Amino acid sequence: MVPGEENQLVPKEIENAAEEPRVLCIIQDTTNSKTVNERITLNLPASTPVRKLFEDVANKVGYINGTFDLAWGNGVNTADTAPLDHTSDKSLLDANFEPGKKNFLHLTDKDGEQPQMMLEDSSNVDDSMHDRFIGPLPREGSVASTSDYVSQSYSYSSILNKSETGYVGLVNQAMTCYLNSLLQTLFMTPEFRNALYKWEFEESEEDPVTSIPYQLQRLFVLLQTSKKRAIETTDVTRSFGWDSSEAWQQHDVQELCRVMFDALEQKWKQTEQADLINELYQGKLKDYVRCLECGYEGWRIDTYLDIPLVIRPYGSSQAFASVEEALHAFIQPEILDGPNQYFCERCKKKCDARKGLRFLHFPYLLTLQLKRFDFDYTTMHRIKLNDRMSFPEELDMSTFIDIEDEKSPQTESCTDSGAENEGSCHSDQMSNDFSTDDAVDEGICLESSSGTEKISKPGLEKNSLMYELFSVMVHSGSAAGGHYYACIKSFSDEQWYSFNDQHVSRITQEDIKKTHGGSSGSRGYYSSAFASSTNAYMLIYRLKDPTRNAKFLEVDEYPEHIKNLVQKERELEEQEKRQREIERNTCKIKLFCLHPVKQVMMENKLEVHKDKTLKEAVEMAYKMMDLEEVIPLDCCRLVKYDEFHDYLERSYEGEEDTPMGLLLGGVKSTYMFDLLLETRKPDQVFQSYKPGEVMVKVHVVDLKAETVAAPITVRAYLNQTVTEFKQLISKATHLAAESMRIVLERCYNDLRLLSVPSKTLKAEGFFRSNKVFVESSETLDHQAAFTDSHLWKLLDRHANTIRLFVLLPEQSPGSYSKRTAYQKAGGDSSNVEDDCERVKGPAGNFKSVDAILEESTEKLKSLSLQQQQDGDNGDSSKSTETSDFENIESPLNERGSSTSVDNRELEQHIQTSDPENFQSEERSDSDVNNDRSTSSVDSDILSSSHSSDTLCNADSAQIPLANGLDSHSITSSRRTKANEGKKETWDTAEEDSGTDSEYDESGKSRGEMQYMYFKADPYAADEGSGEGHKWLMVHVDKRITLAAFKQHLEPFVGVLSSHFKVFRVYTSNQEFESVRLNETLSSFSDDTKITIRLGRALKKGEYRVKVCQLLVNEQEPCKFLLDAVFAKGMTVRQSKEELIPQLREQCGLDLSIDRFRLRKKTWKNPGTVFLDYHIYEEDINISSNWEVFLEVLDGVEKMKSMSQLAILSKRWRPSEMKLDPFQELVLESNSVDELREKLSEISGIPLEDIEFAKGRGTFPCDISVLDIHQDLDWNPKVSTLNVWPLYICDDGAVIFYRDKTEEVMELTEEQRNELMKKESSRLQKTGHRVTYSPRKEKALKIYLDGAPNKEVAQD
């Protein structure tokens, strides 16, 4: 027998089969018939026929038997892939099922058709199934449940169809399980459901979308009449004024109950249901204080909707054993004595008193909340109390009613919940007080307050107070989050059910007992034991009173408006069902079409009913692709297509009248192929594509013109020989087959010459879609080895050539040129054209590349002379820089020395010319070309040990990486012993800035050492690129280095490659400089945009640095100033000297070298102060795109040593509710005592009254003045700054301090609100949050007008 079903009759033959081996079958539904595919488990006797297995599966999943197949899955017996015979009488044992093991099966479509859903009344055709023993697989250490389980992700084992339970589930929108639990409980409450049905909605008075009672009414009607497994709750939540984001907020079910009831009361005002909530759920209690000397008692009456019961008394580790024990503790009075004595009005003095609560009236529906969520002050975390607390199925409340209330003659002071009465303890213990003043706090947004409640006099409960349990709302999880579901007893059949979102299942009393909580007693978050994390949270009892206990309304008892609503919802559901049926029979497949005019591949999704013919589908695709005005319909057809391989699989000749469902192999959610709408010209004929053919794209190569033609498509068979394939191509291309060479590109740049005539295409590696190059010419190139042939070189170039669009700077002298060059190492010019190709210049004349260079040089010469006449002196830089380039040969023309002379002159004049003529569009290096800044930087570099890094003497040996240096890094946490001798990991100059030399030892360009291709043409860019901008369309071998690429661009830019920069433009229009000169262009893709900007490119050992000003007391403390260039080996003082003229000219800052400092910048946080004698790359790690802070000093620099510590302090004045500006403190050590002394010194606060705290977050560590006094960790008990909780090990830490004797200003509510607004505005402007407290839960609100009030929502 099944445990828990003692009264169930079990057939005798099954009892006798108890010793028979059983077969565990796990069936996964893989069809597309349902929204969620089920996984069901059957535990059957081994003698069960296969036919009976199909019947059981059909009954479980709700499909008609015979409309689906069962096939072996990925478990055992995987070799047998044929579906099982649904008519077979073989036993499971004879059908190769293995007892004692998991037998995996897949439920699949039958003959390409989806399974047919079983009608509701057909699910009980075979009633004998209920008499069969289909037992579950028992869990380890637990009692087996009453029926089969579907998934272990749910608490209860059985998930039955609606036809078996009679109930409908609710879909969980995301995290709305708490809402579903409450809605199902209200639906299963006869008195509430009947009252809701009697209320009639007036559409003329309210919008149905925002009417909460109407949407609840609709939901209840659907829960009662729908044939669906589960229904949505989105209409209900929309009436709450919630948007989709609310579905991702989990709330407390008791809080929702409170807020929803209040909202319903507001909506039902002046209706028959106005007092419904109070009549059903409201009770009354007395909150009293009695003097123990004279007996005088003061009291007031309060109402409640639920009773909160403590799981554990405060400070105790022992929980209450039962609900009854917790109820006794709830009304247990406390004695007010000692300092807590009560002032008695009669005695006119403080006396000992008894304070407590008494129940005066219990509601018809009694709600108990078990307060399982608590706060652990040891761990400072919210926790869930999983202790066991039992609750009875019947609860006698008569022992808790106040029987002495009206007999007390001493009672003289009486107030009620509507009167003003201070000192009530009720507010801390009770969860509900439905006065309208608390409406906003309770989550209700009201336009205006309602009138006072009607107060009923307290009376004695003389009748029986026996309550029966009918709803248990269960929480599974921890205080951080979890899952709610409801266990509800039906008053119709007295059976318990589990309502777990969309799943409804029968359960037993044993399952209810599991929710009492558990044996582990753990106070942690999640526990492995079932009972420790899954337990009852809310209990609802109903008074056992035959005169009041109602039954659910029958259909014939429905009010007329409910009958109309039922009919309306049934029609809508039938309409949805018909639509779903259409959807289930609709084939959805990707559709592609190459536009016949635009030659652009278009993509769409074709949705066609399975009974539509191919001809009709072609017409639908024709209209979908908007080809009516482009091409006739008879010039289009649909073919089977593989988009991934770009392969046409087959055409459908003669099948125009075939249904699409048959043609596509049935209705499926996804297809392994696509469709292509193929087009032709009116004078062309469609080619027939047969299954088994392979598609070949043929590119014809012309060796003389060095061109590769666009592809033409031919189809071949894999068993064809190379000779036969040549004949096929010869017919398509009209090339001679005898001299034809065919090259197959199997993958990127993998070229294979088909040289064996008798070999088949399959043996050569052909696949579905292939790409070949053919060439047929009578040249000696045939005799060369393939890898040495002109054909291979041309194809290699073709595979590696990319197209780039280059934007030249406005000042670019010279004109456009078309140039093609092949270069090899050693200056071999055999493959270099004798004369460069020529293009027309701006004046219409033809100019060679030499002419362009000469013209560019002359322009720059004249420009330089003009600037010199105006007083610009550049002699020093000229003499310095000339030597850097004197040994460089021209990469463009090696036939004479004239160009190299021009280059040297060009280099000299670039150094002496006015920087304004080479102004870059961005601020970064506009000043680097200035003769003063450049000469000083270069002279420093040349005079240092790194002078060999200049271009002419670049050392070919690998430079040691900065990460390999053993020097001590000051930018790490330099004052902690743990980090002594270590360096931070930075990208090195050689790695990241890419400032490797462009030349090898011989002075030849490294680009000349490899076979490469470069061709540039003028290009007309889109409008809006700006006047004066010129574009080049460049075809270049992507294996070329950036250095060689820049050299090729020199004649078009008009300056040497060392004096312009290359910026790569990404899709977001962001530009990043490419600086790694030795890297190739392999990371560039076709049609990449490049911007050229004038400005000196970085040399080896140089880094571009962003300089930002630190303004500690400004609203925005970080302000960008300029881009500078720092060099390896340069001292901090030298870099400051370089910055002074740049700051004066670009930023208007006139600073002396001793009145500003540089310091580390980590995002917005100021860090280590750099001292003047520190050397970059030795004492300070530096990398490309590095950032530093420049801080202007008020006086002389106080930081002289690395042992000092610079801290930013800010005083908090609580009596004025304000913060002072930052002041810097320089400490000689990391002692807390020294910090206190310095703070006392600058503030005048006595040393013993100083309290301080470390700021939180990023600089400037902003915090609201309303939170700073209590939120920060004030006065930490430490002696040094470098330990927890301070961890101050580097410069730039923020310290708040205060005078502990200074009292906090008392604020009125108006002042507090005003200050809160100011602080919110201030902190939003600075980008900081108002508080750094952990994330708070979003308040649960129901908006009565259907839309949230923005102002309230911000609270």
Side-chain angles (χ1 to χ4, degrees):
M1 296 179 68
V2 183
E5 293 188 358
E6 293 81 357
N7 297 327
Q8 182 178 353
L9 296 177
V10 180
K12 190 172 183 180
E13 63 269 23
I14 300 301
E15 288 186 17
N16 296 335
E19 301 301 324
E20 182 181 353
R22 306 188 71 80
V23 174
L24 178 64
C25 303
I26 300 175
I27 301 101
Q28 177 69 50
D29 185 357
T30 62
T31 67
N32 198 38
S33 301
K34 296 183 179 180
T35 307
V36 179
N37 288 344
E38 290 181 313
R39 176 174 174 173
I40 64 171
T41 304
L42 299 176
N43 195 10
L44 304 172
S47 60
T48 304
V50 174
R51 170 180 50 80
K52 195 62 181 171
L53 170 66
F54 273 85
E55 293 175 6
D56 291 345
V57 171
N59 209 297
K60 293 292 290 181
V61 297
Y63 296 151
I64 297 176
N65 194 8
T67 64
F68 61 88
D69 280 331
L70 291 178
W72 290 107
N74 57 353
V76 295
N77 300 323
T78 52
D80 188 0
T81 56
L84 301 175
D85 182 6
H86 73 283
T87 61
S88 173
D89 287 322
K90 278 186 179 181
S91 68
L92 298 181
L93 202 59
D94 295 336
N96 297 326
F97 285 77
E98 296 187 35
K101 293 186 177 180
K102 295 179 181 179
N103 297 270
F104 291 93
L105 297 171
H106 282 172
L107 191 155
T108 61
D109 297 337
K110 188 176 182 67
D111 300 328
E113 296 287 335
Q114 290 187 352
Q116 297 179 24
M117 298 294 293
M118 189 184 296
L119 298 177
E120 187 176 350
D121 57 355
S122 66
S123 60
N124 294 322
V125 172
D126 185 9
D127 293 331
S128 65
M129 190 237 174
H130 297 290
D131 295 330
R132 291 185 50 75
F133 180 79
I134 307 178
L137 183 69
R139 300 178 184 173
E140 293 182 8
S142 64
V143 180
S145 195
T146 58
S147 50
D148 310 318
Y149 71 93
V150 173
S151 171
Q152 291 186 354
S153 62
Y154 296 97
S155 301
Y156 294 98
S157 57
S158 176
I159 296 183
L160 309 177
N161 293 322
K162 191 232 175 180
S163 57
E164 296 181 18
T165 65
Y167 295 105
V168 177
L170 294 173
V171 175
N172 191 335
Q173 296 181 38
M175 299 176 72
T176 56
C177 52
Y178 67 100
L179 172 67
N180 293 348
S181 302
L182 180 61
L183 292 176
Q184 291 284 19
T185 297
L186 296 178
F187 173 73
M188 295 294 286
T189 306
E191 292 78 8
F192 186 88
R193 191 204 299 182
N194 295 346
L196 183 66
Y197 281 175
K198 290 176 183 177
W199 176 80
E200 184 173 1
F201 173 68
E202 297 291 342
E203 192 164 355
S204 60
E205 297 179 2
E206 190 178 8
D207 183 359
V209 175
T210 60
S211 174
I212 298 173
Y214 177 68
Q215 294 301 335
L216 281 177
Q217 206 174 67
R218 284 189 61 236
L219 183 77
F220 282 15
V221 165
L222 289 172
L223 284 172
Q224 194 166 355
T225 63
S226 177
K227 297 178 182 179
K228 295 181 182 178
R229 178 188 183 87
I231 56 177
E232 297 280 354
T233 58
T234 48
D235 289 340
V236 174
T237 55
R238 193 177 293 115
S239 71
F240 291 171
W242 294 359
D243 55 22
S244 58
S245 66
E246 291 285 349
W248 294 93
Q249 294 282 339
Q250 188 176 79
H251 293 288
D252 187 281
V253 69
Q254 183 263 348
E255 181 186 12
L256 173 70
C257 181
R258 230 177 38 224
V259 175
M260 186 191 290
F261 282 175
D262 207 353
L264 287 172
E265 282 190 322
Q266 297 294 331
K267 287 286 186 179
W268 275 336
K269 281 183 178 179
Q270 299 178 350
T271 67
E272 186 181 338
Q273 289 74 23
D275 206 33
L276 175 66
I277 301 299
N278 292 340
E279 289 175 357
L280 295 180
Y281 295 94
Q282 182 175 280
K284 293 187 183 298
L285 54 75
K286 178 200 287 185
D287 184 355
Y288 69 92
V289 181
R290 174 176 291 182
C291 177
L292 294 181
E293 291 189 15
C294 67
Y296 171 84
E297 182 177 287
W299 53 271
R300 75 171 188 175
I301 305 298
D302 281 320
T303 61
Y304 63 89
L305 293 185
D306 56 55
I307 303 173
L309 299 181
V310 175
I311 300 293
R312 291 184 195 165
Y314 180 75
S316 172
S317 60
Q318 188 67 34
F320 293 122
S322 64
V323 163
E324 297 95 319
E325 192 176 328
L327 280 167
H328 279 293
F330 184 80
I331 60 175
Q332 180 70 30
E334 62 173 319
I335 301 299
L336 302 180
D337 56 7
N340 296 324
Q341 278 187 326
Y342 164 71
F343 184 84
C344 178
E345 293 290 339
R346 177 179 294 176
C347 301
K348 301 298 181 183
K349 66 174 183 175
K350 286 190 174 183
C351 307
D352 290 351
R354 180 184 292 115
K355 183 180 188 301
L357 302 170
R358 295 195 189 109
F359 288 113
L360 303 179
H361 166 71
F362 289 114
Y364 178 69
L365 297 172
L366 177 65
T367 304
L368 304 179
Q369 181 207 2
L370 309 185
K371 299 180 71 174
R372 292 196 172 273
F373 298 110
D374 202 352
F375 190 81
D376 190 335
Y377 288 93
T378 305
T379 61
M380 300 303 288
H381 281 108
R382 288 183 64 201
I383 60 169
K384 181 182 176 187
L385 303 177
N386 293 309
D387 303 79
R388 177 181 176 81
M389 178 180 277
S390 64
F391 46 87
E393 190 169 1
E394 291 192 348
L395 178 62
D396 186 2
M397 295 297 290
S398 59
T399 57
F400 305 102
I401 198 75
D402 183 13
I403 58 175
E404 296 183 356
D405 178 55
E406 292 188 352
K407 297 179 182 179
S408 174
Q410 309 291 348
T411 301
E412 296 182 6
S413 173
C414 175
T415 62
D416 57 49
S417 59
E420 295 181 4
N421 185 14
E422 301 294 329
S424 170
C425 66
H426 157 253
S427 60
D428 294 330
Q429 299 186 40
M430 297 307 299
S431 60
N432 281 287
D433 184 0
F434 272 73
S435 61
T436 56
D437 294 337
D438 295 331
V440 175
D441 294 335
E442 295 296 337
I444 303 298
C445 299
L446 300 175
E447 295 298 329
S448 60
S449 300
S450 61
T452 57
E453 293 184 7
K454 183 178 74 174
I455 302 159
S456 59
K457 294 182 180 180
L460 295 178
E461 296 286 337
K462 298 179 181 179
N463 297 328
S464 171
L465 291 176
M466 186 63 70
Y467 284 82
E468 61 176 326
L469 180 69
F470 79 95
S471 177
V472 180
M473 277 171 263
V474 181
H475 182 268
S476 176
S478 73
H483 177 62
Y484 284 101
Y485 59 93
C487 303
I488 306 173
K489 182 174 75 173
S490 170
F491 290 113
S492 302
D493 58 7
E494 299 297 318
Q495 169 68 43
W496 281 92
Y497 296 91
S498 168
F499 291 84
N500 194 340
D501 290 336
Q502 58 262 47
H503 302 281
V504 184
S505 57
R506 291 193 185 102
I507 56 175
T508 65
Q509 274 300 80
E510 290 299 317
D511 295 314
I512 298 297
K513 289 180 181 178
K514 291 177 183 177
T515 67
H516 287 182
S519 54
S520 70
S522 170
R523 294 188 64 174
Y525 286 101
Y526 279 100
S527 176
S528 58
F530 165 80
S532 67
S533 64
T534 303
N535 33 53
Y537 182 63
M538 272 185 73
L539 310 173
I540 302 184
Y541 287 83
R542 186 176 78 163
L543 182 67
K544 295 185 72 172
D545 183 355
T547 61
R548 295 187 64 184
N549 294 159
K551 294 183 178 180
F552 295 112
L553 291 177
E554 299 296 334
V555 176
D556 55 354
E557 298 174 330
Y558 286 168
E560 194 62 32
H561 64 275
I562 294 296
K563 291 179 180 178
N564 296 335
L565 183 58
V566 169
Q567 183 62 31
K568 178 181 176 182
E569 295 300 331
R570 279 180 177 167
E571 290 173 0
L572 287 173
E573 193 165 303
E574 286 298 321
Q575 184 178 344
E576 288 179 14
K577 187 177 179 181
R578 288 192 295 271
Q579 187 60 37
R580 284 198 307 271
E581 190 66 26
I582 294 172
E583 289 285 324
R584 286 181 61 239
N585 292 296
T586 299
C587 304
K588 299 177 182 179
I589 188 169
K590 272 188 180 181
L591 175 68
F592 295 89
C593 177
L594 183 65
H595 197 280
V597 176
K598 300 177 183 177
Q599 291 298 303
V600 175
M601 183 64 81
M602 302 181 293
E603 181 181 344
N604 213 320
K605 194 164 192 176
L606 179 64
E607 298 185 2
V608 57
H609 195 274
K610 66 176 184 178
D611 296 332
K612 293 279 187 182
T613 63
L614 176 62
K615 185 177 180 180
E616 293 172 311
V618 170
E619 189 173 350
M620 290 174 62
Y622 174 73
K623 293 178 180 177
M624 186 179 291
M625 292 299 182
D626 295 325
L627 299 180
E628 291 96 327
E629 305 296 329
V630 180
I631 197 169
L633 176 61
D634 57 0
C635 291
C636 301
R637 69 169 180 176
L638 286 174
V639 295
K640 193 175 181 181
Y641 176 60
D642 180 356
E643 186 252 346
F644 182 77
H645 295 100
D646 193 17
Y647 169 58
L648 298 171
E649 293 193 24
R650 60 158 297 186
S651 52
Y652 299 106
E653 286 85 2
E655 299 187 67
E656 287 77 10
D657 296 324
T658 305
M660 289 298 289
L662 191 60
L663 210 63
L664 299 177
V667 179
K668 298 179 182 178
S669 56
T670 56
Y671 291 89
M672 300 301 293
F673 57 90
D674 313 300
L675 291 178
L676 175 73
L677 184 65
E678 192 179 22
T679 61
R680 64 175 175 84
K681 295 179 181 178
D683 57 344
Q684 291 179 329
V685 178
F686 280 124
Q687 185 181 348
S688 177
Y689 307 140
K690 297 177 182 178
E693 293 178 332
V694 294
M695 192 169 72
V696 185
K697 292 184 176 180
V698 181
H699 296 261
V700 177
V701 179
D702 188 336
L703 288 182
K704 290 182 179 179
E706 293 190 342
T707 59
V708 179
I712 59 172
T713 303
V714 299
R715 296 179 72 86
Y717 289 98
L718 291 175
N719 57 2
Q720 283 181 327
T721 64
V722 172
T723 302
E724 293 170 338
F725 185 51
K726 285 184 178 181
Q727 297 294 334
L728 183 67
I729 293 178
S730 179
K731 292 179 182 178
T733 61
H734 307 294
L735 297 176
E738 295 77 15
S739 59
M740 184 181 295
R741 284 186 292 176
I742 302 179
V743 179
L744 170 67
E745 185 178 87
R746 291 186 293 186
C747 57
Y748 167 70
N749 216 20
D750 180 12
L751 304 174
R752 180 190 182 104
L753 181 67
L754 307 185
S755 56
V756 183
S758 60
K759 214 169 182 180
T760 64
L761 299 186
K762 184 175 182 180
E764 290 286 8
F766 278 68
F767 188 56
R768 283 181 161 192
S769 182
N770 309 274
K771 181 179 180 181
V772 300
F773 301 91
V774 298
E775 186 273 334
S776 181
S777 61
E778 301 292 340
T779 63
L780 296 178
D781 198 53
H782 285 251
Q783 300 174 7
F786 177 56
T787 53
D788 295 330
S789 65
H790 190 190
L791 175 62
W792 183 87
K793 293 175 182 176
L794 185 61
L795 295 180
D796 180 70
R797 187 192 80 186
H798 174 76
N800 288 285
T801 298
I802 55 174
R803 183 176 64 181
L804 305 175
F805 294 100
V806 180
L807 175 63
L808 300 175
E810 289 185 41
Q811 305 93 325
S812 175
S815 22
Y816 291 107
S817 169
K818 183 186 293 184
R819 172 169 166 261
T820 305
Y822 294 90
Q823 299 178 349
K824 287 190 174 182
D828 184 6
S829 59
S830 58
N831 289 327
V832 180
E833 300 178 38
D834 292 336
D835 295 307
C836 296
E837 292 187 45
R838 300 165 182 268
V839 294
K840 281 189 176 183
N845 300 323
F846 289 95
K847 296 183 181 180
S848 67
V849 174
D850 292 337
I852 294 173
L853 275 175
E854 186 176 351
E855 183 186 63
S856 303
T857 305
E858 290 301 325
K859 285 186 178 181
L860 290 171
K861 281 182 180 179
S862 61
L863 181 63
S864 176
L865 290 172
Q866 181 181 348
Q867 295 295 334
Q868 287 180 358
Q869 291 171 2
D870 292 339
D872 186 17
N873 183 10
D875 295 336
S876 61
S877 63
K878 187 186 303 184
S879 60
T880 303
E881 294 296 331
T882 302
S883 61
D884 291 349
F885 298 90
E886 60 188 4
N887 295 322
I888 301 176
E889 296 185 24
S890 169
L892 304 174
N893 192 339
E894 299 178 5
R895 290 177 293 176
S897 61
S898 61
T899 308
S900 63
V901 174
D902 288 342
N903 284 346
R904 287 198 298 273
E905 293 177 357
L906 180 64
E907 171 69 14
Q908 294 170 7
H909 286 293
I910 288 171
Q911 298 300 324
T912 59
S913 59
D914 190 339
E916 293 180 3
N917 292 288
F918 298 97
Q919 186 74 21
S920 172
E921 287 183 16
E922 63 172 13
R923 291 178 292 179
S924 58
D925 291 305
S926 57
D927 61 305
V928 174
N929 296 317
N930 185 292
D931 62 316
R932 284 170 293 182
S933 62
T934 304
S935 62
S936 57
V937 170
D938 290 345
S939 62
D940 285 335
I941 296 173
L942 291 172
S943 63
S944 71
S945 60
H946 306 288
S947 60
S948 60
D949 292 344
T950 53
L951 293 179
C952 60
N953 297 316
D955 192 354
S956 60
Q958 184 176 357
I959 303 297
L961 299 181
N963 293 28
L965 298 175
D966 293 328
S967 61
H968 182 62
S969 169
I970 66 166
T971 54
S972 61
S973 296
R974 65 201 192 286
R975 296 178 175 85
T976 56
K977 292 183 179 180
N979 288 329
E980 282 187 7
K982 295 184 180 179
K983 290 178 70 70
E984 287 186 350
T985 302
W986 291 94
D987 292 332
T988 65
E990 288 78 9
E991 283 181 314
D992 203 19
S993 64
T995 54
D996 301 304
S997 173
E998 299 181 23
Y999 303 92
D1000 63 7
E1001 290 179 346
S1002 64
K1004 300 289 184 183
S1005 167
R1006 294 181 182 177
E1008 297 179 33
M1009 296 183 179
Q1010 56 182 319
Y1011 178 79
M1012 59 188 177
Y1013 172 77
F1014 182 95
K1015 180 181 179 182
D1017 295 292
Y1019 174 70
D1022 297 335
E1023 294 183 4
S1025 59
E1027 296 181 4
H1029 286 287
K1030 296 178 181 179
W1031 287 85
L1032 289 180
M1033 182 170 64
V1034 176
H1035 291 84
V1036 64
D1037 192 316
K1038 62 183 177 184
R1039 294 169 295 187
I1040 194 173
T1041 63
L1042 178 62
F1045 178 65
K1046 290 180 68 176
Q1047 291 169 33
H1048 281 292
L1049 288 175
E1050 283 180 352
F1052 306 102
V1053 181
V1055 296
L1056 288 180
S1057 60
S1058 58
H1059 283 75
F1060 66 83
K1061 297 173 286 185
V1062 175
F1063 288 84
R1064 184 174 178 177
V1065 183
Y1066 290 85
T1067 52
S1068 59
N1069 288 327
Q1070 284 185 305
E1071 295 184 356
F1072 292 95
E1073 185 179 358
S1074 297
V1075 292
R1076 299 178 180 177
L1077 298 175
N1078 282 342
E1079 282 196 3
T1080 65
L1081 304 185
S1082 56
S1083 63
F1084 288 62
S1085 56
D1086 262 334
D1087 298 338
T1088 297
K1089 290 184 179 180
I1090 289 174
T1091 300
I1092 304 297
R1093 300 192 190 282
L1094 296 178
R1096 182 170 70 79
L1098 296 176
K1099 297 179 182 179
K1100 193 168 186 177
E1102 292 184 342
Y1103 302 88
R1104 187 158 286 113
V1105 178
K1106 291 185 180 297
V1107 181
C1108 301
Q1109 186 176 2
L1110 177 64
L1111 304 163
V1112 293
N1113 287 311
E1114 297 293 328
Q1115 185 173 315
E1116 181 50 59
C1118 178
K1119 176 186 176 183
F1120 175 79
L1121 294 178
L1122 50 81
D1123 281 335
V1125 175
F1126 289 0
K1128 178 180 178 181
M1130 180 186 286
T1131 65
V1132 171
R1133 186 174 183 86
Q1134 287 173 331
S1135 63
K1136 289 166 68 176
E1137 290 172 351
E1138 295 293 332
L1139 287 173
I1140 289 174
Q1142 299 176 42
L1143 292 168
R1144 186 184 305 115
E1145 294 170 13
Q1146 297 183 41
C1147 309
L1149 291 175
D1150 193 1
L1151 302 173
S1152 64
I1153 196 166
D1154 296 324
R1155 295 305 293 270
F1156 73 95
R1157 65 160 67 131
L1158 300 181
R1159 64 191 303 169
K1160 182 180 177 181
K1161 179 179 184 291
T1162 307
W1163 194 41
K1164 293 184 178 181
N1165 298 309
T1168 308
V1169 174
F1170 300 145
L1171 305 182
D1172 283 355
Y1173 57 82
H1174 286 148
I1175 300 173
Y1176 296 117
E1177 281 292 20
E1178 291 185 13
D1179 301 312
I1180 302 171
N1181 286 321
I1182 188 171
S1183 64
S1184 64
N1185 298 318
W1186 198 47
E1187 294 185 348
V1188 296
F1189 269 129
L1190 182 149
E1191 185 177 11
V1192 179
L1193 301 175
D1194 295 331
V1196 180
E1197 174 66 82
K1198 297 178 183 178
M1199 290 289 289
K1200 304 294 183 182
S1201 167
M1202 289 306 298
S1203 62
Q1204 293 175 308
L1205 192 64
I1207 287 179
L1208 292 167
S1209 65
K1210 180 175 278 197
R1211 179 173 179 176
W1212 158 238
R1213 299 180 182 270
S1215 61
E1216 303 175 39
M1217 297 297 283
K1218 75 172 187 178
L1219 288 161
D1220 287 354
F1222 276 114
Q1223 286 181 280
E1224 185 179 75
L1225 302 177
V1226 177
L1227 307 180
E1228 300 300 325
S1229 67
N1230 59 5
S1231 166
V1232 170
D1233 290 338
E1234 184 184 357
L1235 173 63
R1236 290 178 181 276
E1237 290 171 4
K1238 292 280 186 180
L1239 293 174
S1240 176
E1241 182 182 324
I1242 64 172
S1243 65
I1245 302 173
L1247 188 63
E1248 62 274 11
D1249 294 335
I1250 289 282
E1251 287 188 337
F1252 70 92
K1254 184 183 177 183
R1256 296 176 183 170
T1258 58
F1259 187 81
C1261 306
D1262 270 330
I1263 186 171
S1264 170
V1265 296
L1266 294 171
D1267 300 328
I1268 187 172
H1269 202 72
Q1270 64 273 7
D1271 276 11
L1272 294 183
D1273 185 11
W1274 290 97
N1275 215 25
K1277 306 299 181 184
V1278 292
S1279 59
T1280 59
L1281 301 176
N1282 59 352
V1283 296
W1284 185 87
L1286 296 177
Y1287 285 130
I1288 299 176
C1289 306
D1290 199 1
D1291 302 324
V1294 172
I1295 290 291
F1296 294 99
Y1297 67 97
R1298 68 186 180 190
D1299 184 344
K1300 71 178 183 180
T1301 62
E1302 189 174 347
E1303 297 292 332
V1304 180
M1305 179 192 291
E1306 292 290 338
L1307 297 174
T1308 64
E1309 193 64 30
E1310 184 179 348
Q1311 288 175 323
R1312 180 173 292 276
N1313 291 337
E1314 185 65 28
L1315 190 56
M1316 184 181 294
K1317 288 180 182 178
K1318 287 182 180 179
E1319 286 296 281
S1320 297
S1321 175
R1322 178 179 70 87
L1323 295 175
Q1324 284 173 3
K1325 287 178 182 177
T1326 59
H1328 287 74
R1329 297 186 180 182
V1330 176
T1331 176
Y1332 289 96
S1333 301
R1335 181 182 64 85
K1336 297 177 181 177
E1337 293 180 8
K1338 187 176 179 181
L1340 190 152
K1341 294 180 182 292
I1342 291 178
Y1343 304 93
L1344 298 184
D1345 57 354
N1349 184 314
K1350 292 183 180 179
E1351 292 182 2
V1352 176
Q1354 290 176 354
D1355 291 342

